[in-house]
Structure formats: C-alpha cells, structure tokens
Amino acid sequence: MTARIGVVTFPGSLDDRDTQRAIRLAGAEPVALWHKDKDLKQVDAVVLPGGFSYGDYLRAGAISRFSPVMETLIDQAKAGLPVLGICNGFQVLTEAHLLPGAMLGNDHLHFICRDQKLRVENTETAWTLDYEAGQEIHIPLKNMDGRYVADSYTLDQLEAEGRVVFRYVDFNPNGSLRDIAGITNAAGNVVGLMPHPEHAVESLIGTGRTDGLPFFTSILKKLVAAS
C-alpha cells in the first residue's frame, strides 16, 4: 500500500504544492489537508510547509497553532505520528510546544534567501534515516524569522540528547543559537528545520542537487519498517 503523507495548507502557505510534489517524487501519495478541518484523513505522516501563515501576524506561526487541524495534529504527534515542519512549519511546531524553543527575527533584521550548507547531526529521526551522520548537504533557505533561540538549559539538553538534527555550516544566516538549523523531539517523530528540502529534490531547480529528497524517502523507510 502506498504511504499517504498529509500536507497542511494554512492561509498564506506558499510551499504546500512544492511539498506535495516532493512527496510524489519520493514515491508516496500526498494528501491535501485544510487548516479548518480536524480530520487528518488517516494519513501516515504530516508535513507543515513553509510560507507566512496568517501573514505571520502576532508572531510567525502563533495563529496557525490554534487552527482546528492542529488540535488533532498535536494529539497525534504526541502519540507517535511523524510530523515535519519546514520553515513556517517549524515556527508552528515551536508555538504548539511540540518542539522546544522559539523562532525570532533574523539578527540582521532582513529577509534572507540563499543556498545554505547544513551538516546532518542526527540520522535516527523518522525524517533523516537516509542521510549519513556528519554528511554536508545544500538546501535552499528563505526566511525573515529564522533565528532559533532557547534558554541555556534547553540548549544543553538538546545537545546532550542528540536532538540537534541539522546545523548551519560556514555561515549562520540568521543568528540561530549554536548554529542550530533543525531539531527533533525526544521520540524522533517530530522534526523542524528552517531550510526547505522540498526545493532540493530535482536537479533542474533549487540548488541543482537533490539533497532534500532523503527527507521524503526517509519517512517512507520509517513507515515501511513500522508496518
């Protein structure tokens, strides 16, 4: 049976269609989920895509966290449903307290868009199984509120438990503490990152590489292993 991966569309989502395409290229079936619906349509995993949900009013992701779909998603994620938050999706996951810390405005106060080098720190999450530890990848980045922050205790805990999944290499584009580009929850089923792997799945677009495709093949491997 083909794995079904939901992609939530909020008002202001920009990359939901790109994410659906990446899922399709990986061999799964993308399922469109609407922010006003509590029904997750029995999907096997969910992606919260990038964009500017609700115009990023109040704080990025702050309003989306209270969307009806999130009521169901939060409960399902705590029960083990794999969830990936990309850029704005990462912001939503922190606002929903599915991931610790918070996302603030870039330290240089400007929107940034560039190809970004990352180092893969954790290959044991549901979304990183097809990477190698220490592997350096290039993923497009575009954000205004991409600075990851947390108190020292939380940062030390993330480091000690191996929950920093990706780190910026050579250049920190937004002032994120400890060069953190992505993290996971303790169970490894919820991952958030600021760069956009869905823009690096075909050689003709994005970075010209396919470094983002393993996100979507990894979750297929995880689902097959769990079936």
Side-chain angles (χ1 to χ4, degrees), residues 53-134:
S53 60
Y54 293 94
D56 279 350
Y57 292 117
L58 300 182
R59 292 183 309 277
I63 299 177
S64 296
R65 176 261 179 272
F66 293 101
S67 293
V69 71
M70 290 301 297
E71 295 181 30
T72 307
L73 182 63
I74 290 170
D75 289 340
Q76 291 294 314
K78 290 179 178 179
L81 179 74
V83 179
L84 174 65
I86 302 171
C87 195
N88 190 230
F90 185 11
Q91 296 160 344
V92 174
L93 290 176
T94 60
E95 290 287 341
H97 304 298
L98 287 173
L99 291 175
M103 310 302 301
L104 300 182
N106 298 341
D107 59 352
H108 46 74
L109 303 181
H110 295 286
F111 181 85
I112 188 168
C113 182
R114 71 189 306 269
D115 291 342
Q116 178 66 47
K117 183 189 290 188
L118 306 176
R119 183 170 61 249
V120 182
E121 302 280 17
N122 183 335
T123 60
E124 297 179 4
T125 78
W127 301 91
T128 55
L129 296 173
D130 274 348
Y131 288 109
E132 296 179 3

Side-chain angles (χ1 to χ4, degrees), residues 6 27 33 75 97 107 132 141 151 159 162 168 175 182 206:
L33 302 176
D75 289 340
H97 304 298
D107 59 352
E132 296 179 3
L141 172 86
D151 59 82
E159 301 276 13
Y168 297 116

Side-chain angles (χ1 to χ4, degrees), residues 139-167:
I139 303 290
L141 172 86
K142 51 178 185 178
N143 63 69
M144 181 68 188
D145 299 292
R147 177 162 54 110
Y148 180 75
V149 299
D151 59 82
S152 296
Y153 175 83
T154 299
L155 292 170
D156 289 343
Q157 185 178 43
L158 290 173
E159 301 276 13
E161 296 177 359
R163 290 168 54 193
V164 176
V165 183
F166 298 96
R167 234 182 274 270

